[in-house]
Amino acid sequence: MAYKSLTTIISSPDEARSALPSAAHLAVALDAHLDVLALGIDRTQLGYSYLGSGAVLMQVAMERAEQDARESETAAKALLSAEAVDLRWSLESAVAQVGAVGELVAQRARFADLLVLPRPYGKGRGGEAEAVLESALFEGQAPVLVLPDSADVKLPERVVIGWNQSREAMVAVRRALPFLKRAGLVNIAVIDPPQHGPERSDPGGMLCQMLVRHGVKAEVSVLARSMPRISDVLNRHVRDMNADLLVMGAYGHSRFREAILGGATRNMLEQAEVPVLMAH
């Protein structure tokens, strides 16, 4: 499999400026087509409006969402037009109510080989950014490359895989194979492997063997959980390896549990200094 259809979804000019150059560079390097959706979101909460004002609020909110979509589309068109002449791209805009964003994103994600999205957490980013990411992963069943705020994204040379023997991690590894095959080194990081698990005698060994058979230059690092959170250990290991991509499974627990208690997925996305490829 190769990445031939890349998709980026933006909901503001700032997101366009942070995500589109990296997505465009990847598309050219991979000889892929880049599809861009400029999304305007109607955030109306009619449950809190006064009686009789619902129609007025809906009209104002829809006009605002349409304006946001136009501004994002204009910014995206300017950025894409300034990219390399051999970039193949398409651009469209759409407007959706906040509750319908997931369905729209999932429909686009199902037909993409890889989504390239800005980090969903940070200044000026609302809950809809997280909804876009989760809809792509869960309903769209697509791998997502999440970009840090300041990223000069290129084809990765050194990759770290966060391996915990889970189904989600295995899905992420399979979806990342086009990157893994190109990399000069792939490090499989196993943190505190279980003493009684199926890989107790050789943590990460079966995955390493599978990747080597695909021509991947892979190795295994077994790490102690020397910091409070798994994400802290992984981030430090990524820095130690001078890696430029992290591959990991997303949402090993339910989204509700992760939203209430936190989890490795959110912690990693908040802290990661390199792009993170995730799949569920």
Side-chain angles (χ1 to χ4, degrees), residues 56 62 81 116 140 152 180 212 214 216 236 240 246 257:
V56 175
M62 187 58 67
S81 299
V116 182
D152 182 18
L180 303 182
V212 168
H214 277 279
V216 177
R236 183 177 64 183
D240 291 344
L246 173 66
R257 179 177 176 185

Side-chain angles (χ1 to χ4, degrees), residues 70-125:
R70 284 193 295 270
E71 291 176 357
S72 297
E73 184 179 18
T74 300
K77 186 176 293 185
L79 288 163
L80 293 168
S81 299
E83 291 293 336
V85 294
D86 52 348
L87 171 66
R88 303 191 304 276
W89 58 274
S90 61
L91 172 64
E92 63 176 315
S93 61
V95 174
Q97 289 188 318
V98 66
V101 167
E103 182 179 350
L104 179 62
V105 170
Q107 196 272 340
R108 296 298 197 282
R110 290 189 189 108
F111 299 97
D113 296 321
L114 178 70
L115 267 77
V116 182
L117 300 177
R119 189 201 305 261
Y121 307 111
K123 184 178 179 181
R125 289 169 196 163

Side-chain angles (χ1 to χ4, degrees), residues 167-178:
R167 182 193 69 84
E168 294 81 10
M170 190 73 250
V171 172
V173 169
R174 292 187 186 278
R175 298 297 185 89
L177 272 174

